[in-house]
Structures are given as structure tokens and as C-alpha cells.
Amino acid sequence: MTTLPPPPSADPASEYQPIPLAHLFPHAPGEFEVYLRHGDSHTLFARDGEALTSDRRGILKEYGVSVVYIHREQRERYRRYMRRNLPAALLGQEMPQAQKAAVFYHDCCAIVRELLRERLPQGLSDVHGRLFVAYARDCVSFLCTEAGLARMGALMAHDYDVYSHGVHVFVYTVFMLKSLGLPQPVILQAGVGALLHDSGKEGVEAAILRKPGRLTPEEFLAIREHPVLGARLCRPLALSRLARECILLHHEKLNGLGYPRGLSGDAIPVHARAVSLADVYDALTSRRVYADAVPPFEALRIMRHEMAGSFDLELYKRFVMLLGGAALL
């Protein structure tokens, strides 16, 4: 398992967000300003649209600068920058594997923190926040092989939203399984499976994934193939059985009407049931090409009443309590 460096710590009250210098690509200018920190002040180093060339980066390295800063108001611009450039960086040959792993981990942690900040209970403690980031580090470590980074890069290049959705599902899955008191290795492997649960969508035409209207029967059948495709694409990663089950079984339903195997009840392992619930909740509460996001309460109502029989009811109730801020962790 790859050992990853901790992401640079950030002061929540600061106007500036730390970014590892190595995570700004030399020939890819961003739509944000880059600052250097001097004590408690920040000095502009690169303007919006100005690339950090190898020469300029060399100057910073000479002075021991490994972390730069962006203004928090430009955080969304930085996210767009990573969305555009990270897939090619993971798939390319220019960046060493250790650096690829660190960039991937940093991006994953950024999505985790954004989810914690915007969608989970405001009362969620810093301790729990650090817990999620620690699980993200350990899960990502399993994917930081050459094959794992190539798999993640290919998925991002095909559809970055599918990848970021996987990170969201990872957080919700860890949230639920941790509250059940399951052993850490189980939670960790379920987290790996959650990150990869939609990896089979790389084999589905992008035009189908991004189609705003109703799918044809043929297109829906193509979508239904993604759990099996995902399990197949992830074979080179040497995943545990538990992680593979999360990928293959996340569309099974408790009433037996899911796919690909039509399993029901206890035949669906609890980790796959958790990924299934997290998958649907995040899809409903996220903006998609074919539907706007719905508020959390409405998403939970749809799942309870319009999708009755699909989910483990006890797990669903626990998830509702967690989203309501219940101290179950």
C-alpha cells in the first residue's frame, strides 16, 4: 500500500487555501492567482492565466517553497483547473508515479472536504472530518499503483463527474459502515469499492451518460452493463472480494428487482447495500444532465416511498439519523 504525504493543512479562518506546488501543472495556466506566504501575509506570485513554467518553479524550489496559495474565492476555478488537467496527468508519462499518487490523493481530499462542508451536518466535528480524510488516504493508497492510477485517470477522462460521484459515495458509505461498528479493514475495502463502484461507466458511451432526455431501451440496457464492466475493468487492480462486491452488486435491490444478478435480502452483503443507498442518495442530491438536484429531505422521501423495497430499511433509518446529525459515530 502506497504511503501518501498528508495534504497541506489549512486554517479554516484564512482567506487563502494551500496548494502543493507540484499540483500546478507547468504548461497549464489556471484561471486563478497564485500567492506565496510570508508570515501572516500573502504576496502575488502568478496572475490569472499565467503558467508556472519550469524556470519559475525552479526558483521557488531553490528557496524551499513546496506550497503555494490561492484565494478561497477562486476555489471553484481551481476545481475546474483540476478537472481539466488531472486526467491527462494521471494517464501521461511526464509525472513520476509518486507525484501522480499525491495529486490524486489531494484532489480526492478536496472533494471529500467540499462534501463535508456543503452536504453533511454542520455539527459534524473536526474529529469526524479528519476521520473521513484518513479513510480517503488509506483507500486511495490501494489505488496508487500504476494500474490503479491509470484506471482512475481513464475514468476521469471519460467523465469526471462519475469519478467525483464515486468520492461522494465513498464518504456516505464510510459514514454508514463506521456507525455500524464494523472492523476498519471492512470499512477500508468497502471504501475502495465505493470509489470504484461506477468504473464500468467508462465502457458506456459518453453521449449516453450525458443525455439530457429519456434513455431508449437500448441505451438503458447499455447502462445496466456497467456493474459487470466495472468488475471486469478492475481485475488488474487485484481488489479484495469485498471491494469487488461493491462494484458488481451496487444496483441489486433488497426486493430482488435489481441487477445484474437479481439478488435479494441477506444475499446482498451489507457493504454493497450501503454503497447502493449512498449511490442513489448522492445521485438525487446532485445536479445531473437529465435532472436538477433535489433537497436532502425530498431525496430521502423519494427513496423511502417511491423506491420502497429497494433498500435495507434499517440501514436507511440509520443513514437518515446520521444526516440529521445524530452522534452515531
Side-chain angles (χ1 to χ4, degrees):
M1 191 167 73
T2 300
T3 301
L4 293 165
S9 58
D11 177 0
S14 173
E15 295 180 21
Y16 296 89
Q17 175 176 323
I19 302 293
L21 176 62
H23 299 183
L24 297 180
F25 309 109
H27 303 294
E31 299 171 356
F32 47 83
E33 296 166 335
V34 176
Y35 293 83
L36 303 181
R37 182 173 179 174
H38 303 281
D40 293 330
S41 63
H42 294 79
T43 304
L44 181 66
F45 181 74
R47 298 184 183 279
D48 176 347
E50 191 176 352
L52 289 183
T53 62
S54 298
D55 289 343
R56 301 193 74 196
R57 294 157 73 91
I59 293 170
L60 293 179
K61 289 178 181 178
E62 283 182 18
Y63 286 93
V65 175
S66 60
V67 175
V68 294
Y69 294 81
I70 63 170
H71 199 281
R72 286 189 177 275
E73 290 182 354
Q74 297 186 332
R75 187 163 46 197
E76 183 55 35
R77 296 185 185 184
Y78 174 71
R79 294 295 312 136
R80 291 198 299 267
Y81 172 84
M82 293 302 291
R83 183 186 185 105
R84 284 196 308 269
N85 295 288
L86 181 58
L90 294 183
L91 291 170
Q93 302 300 317
E94 294 182 6
M95 189 179 285
Q97 183 173 316
Q99 190 175 332
K100 288 182 181 181
V103 176
F104 170 39
Y105 168 52
H106 183 270
D107 189 67
C108 187
C109 285
I111 297 173
V112 169
R113 290 195 176 100
E114 182 179 311
L115 184 73
L116 295 177
R117 185 175 62 250
E118 297 180 0
R119 299 204 199 175
L120 287 178
Q122 293 300 306
L124 196 69
S125 69
D126 289 340
V127 172
H128 292 143
R130 288 194 293 272
L131 173 75
F132 288 125
V133 171
Y135 272 110
R137 179 196 62 223
D138 293 341
C139 289
V140 165
S141 293
F142 278 96
L143 301 175
C144 285
T145 62
E146 184 177 352
L149 292 168
R151 170 62 36 233
M152 296 310 301
L155 181 60
M156 291 178 196
H158 188 65
D159 194 313
Y160 188 93
D161 288 337
V162 172
Y163 151 69
S164 60
H165 164 68
V167 179
H168 291 178
V169 172
F170 150 78
V171 172
Y172 293 133
T173 298
V174 168
F175 209 7
M176 283 184 275
L177 298 184
K178 180 68 176 174
S179 79
L180 290 172
L182 295 181
Q184 182 165 334
V186 171
I187 298 172
L188 184 60
Q189 290 304 312
V192 172
L195 279 171
L196 292 166
H197 80 281
D198 268 347
S199 54
K201 287 187 175 177
E202 183 192 330
V204 179
E205 290 182 26
I208 296 177
L209 295 178
R210 298 169 190 162
K211 184 176 179 179
R214 190 178 182 87
L215 297 178
T216 66
E218 294 76 18
E219 290 168 338
F220 184 64
L221 284 174
I223 288 284
R224 284 174 62 102
E225 290 295 316
H226 80 268
V228 174
L229 282 171
R232 189 180 304 149
L233 286 170
C234 290
R235 280 178 188 164
L237 307 188
L239 300 177
S240 67
R241 175 189 56 79
L242 195 151
R244 292 196 307 270
E245 287 176 341
C246 290
I247 298 168
L248 185 62
L249 306 179
H250 72 275
H251 275 290
E252 300 290 352
K253 297 180 180 180
L254 220 65
N255 57 16
L257 299 179
Y259 59 90
R261 294 181 175 174
L263 301 180
S264 62
D266 290 340
I268 308 169
V270 66
H271 42 276
R273 284 181 250 161
V275 173
S276 172
L277 202 158
D279 178 33
V280 173
Y281 177 78
D282 187 66
L284 289 171
T285 54
S286 301
R287 189 179 184 282
R288 295 155 289 166
V289 292
Y290 53 86
D292 289 332
V294 302
F297 180 82
E298 175 64 8
L300 293 170
R301 185 199 66 77
I302 291 170
M303 294 170 69
R304 179 69 180 91
H305 298 289
E306 297 180 26
M307 299 181 179
S310 296
F311 308 108
D312 180 324
L313 189 55
E314 292 306 312
L315 197 59
Y316 168 86
K317 290 177 180 177
R318 178 171 289 269
F319 187 52
V320 172
M321 292 175 68
L322 289 166
L323 292 175
L328 298 181
L329 296 188

